[in-house]
Amino acid sequence: MTSAVLILAVAVAQPPGNKPATDGQKAFQGTWTIVAMTAGGAKPGKEDNEKKPVTAGTVVFDKDRYTIKAGDAVVEEGTFTADAAKTPNRIAVTATGGADKGKKWHGLYELEGDTLRAVVGPADKDPPTKLTEPDPGTRAFTLKRKR
């Protein structure tokens, strides 16, 4: 009975959608500047598929949540999981606010020092398989950690 009460107390004390960071998520914690964003499947000369201008300036990772901001305005927010135990490293994202609200993405990432590169695609399709030359329908991001 005592252990059941303890488990319930821990569950109640932890707000939903704000779980402690897992080992994979810990490396993401903090504020990052978006330095590049590309829509996959880009074809030279096709303006719609060329490298997209960065419209959001920062991404803040806090435990299992992320917030994308342009200045002080929140562009998107949601939850994420990261698995550094797999090769390549895997990430899954669920947008809970913003233009992509309700959408789920999955993909892979690479973290080298203060540079994070990730490629994600819709969760209802096969996950991306490479960080270079993202497949059509995917999104590639490069972020630098703010110090």
Side-chain angles (χ1 to χ4, degrees), residues 1-100:
M1 174 78 170
T2 304
S3 62
V5 171
L6 179 60
I7 291 170
L8 179 59
V10 170
V12 170
Q14 188 62 50
N18 200 12
K19 299 176 186 171
T22 64
D23 287 343
Q25 292 167 320
K26 286 179 183 174
F28 285 74
Q29 302 303 292
T31 302
W32 299 75
T33 300
I34 301 171
V35 295
M37 189 167 48
T38 306
K43 295 178 183 169
K46 297 287 184 187
E47 186 176 312
D48 291 334
N49 290 325
E50 292 296 327
K51 190 172 183 179
K52 303 289 184 189
V54 177
T55 57
T58 59
V59 180
V60 178
F61 292 99
D62 181 23
K63 298 177 184 156
D64 71 328
R65 302 195 54 77
Y66 72 92
T67 304
I68 301 173
K69 295 181 174 184
D72 290 332
V74 174
V75 175
E76 182 177 304
E77 55 191 353
T79 59
F80 79 103
T81 60
D83 188 348
K86 291 188 178 177
T87 304
N89 300 331
R90 297 290 176 183
I91 188 169
V93 178
T94 300
T96 59
D100 282 342

Side-chain angles (χ1 to χ4, degrees), residues 68 81 84 103 131-132:
I68 301 173
T81 60
K103 290 187 180 178
L131 285 167
T132 58

